[in-house]
């Protein structure tokens, strides 16, 4: 289980540098974990302090791992990511799939077996 600055719908992970001036980029052991683990789960808030989604179509920060994340646990719900794109597993009470799509700007798929 890792934190992240960004996760792409395809499962790419960016968790070590925002590129901000004065920030100290430090990969640490995250790269080894991301590539060596059988499954990588990310636990994060879905939105930045500025209201931007951390779940993105493509990461803009330096990548820690490519296609390594399989599931995101966030304050808005649980979302699977990978080659199939992003798919909702569970949403917090009161949040609809359309709300989540609006927050992320992504065409997130409904849970398996649910209507689109």
């Amino acid at each position: 289980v890792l934190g992240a600055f960004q996760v792409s719908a395809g499962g790419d992970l960016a968790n070590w540098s925002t590129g901000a001036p004065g920030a100290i980029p430090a990969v640490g052991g995250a790269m080894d974990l991301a590539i060596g683990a059988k499954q990588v789960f990310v636990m994060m808030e879905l939105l930045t302090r500025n209201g931007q989604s951390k779940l993105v179509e493509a990461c803009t920060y330096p990548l820690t791992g490519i296609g390594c994340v399989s599931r995101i646990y966030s304050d808005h719900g649980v979302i699977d990511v990978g080659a199939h794109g992003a798919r909702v597993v569970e949403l917090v009470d009161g949040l609809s799939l359309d709300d989540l799509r609006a927050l992320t700007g992504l065409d997130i798929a409904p849970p398996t077996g649910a209507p689109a």
Side-chain angles (χ1 to χ4, degrees):
V1 177
L2 299 170
F5 290 119
Q6 291 179 327
V7 176
S8 76
D12 299 336
L13 171 67
N15 81 338
W16 64 275
S17 174
T18 63
I24 300 171
V27 176
M31 193 172 284
D32 290 337
L33 291 171
I35 301 307
K38 291 181 182 180
Q39 287 188 312
V40 175
F41 301 134
V42 167
M43 187 172 289
M44 67 180 188
E45 291 182 348
L46 185 67
L47 305 176
T48 67
R49 290 183 190 128
N50 297 331
Q52 295 177 316
S53 178
K54 294 180 184 182
L55 174 57
V56 295
E57 185 67 35
C59 295
T60 58
Y61 295 151
L63 294 180
T64 304
I66 297 172
C68 60
V69 177
S70 53
R71 181 167 280 183
I72 299 168
Y73 293 89
S74 81
D75 53 336
H76 286 72
V78 180
I79 304 161
D80 282 345
V81 293
H84 56 59
R87 176 177 299 281
V88 166
V89 174
E90 185 176 0
L91 293 173
V92 297
D93 289 340
L95 185 72
S96 72
L97 180 56
D98 286 337
D99 293 337
L100 184 64
R101 288 173 174 161
L103 288 169
T104 63
L106 299 175
D107 186 21
I108 299 172
T112 303

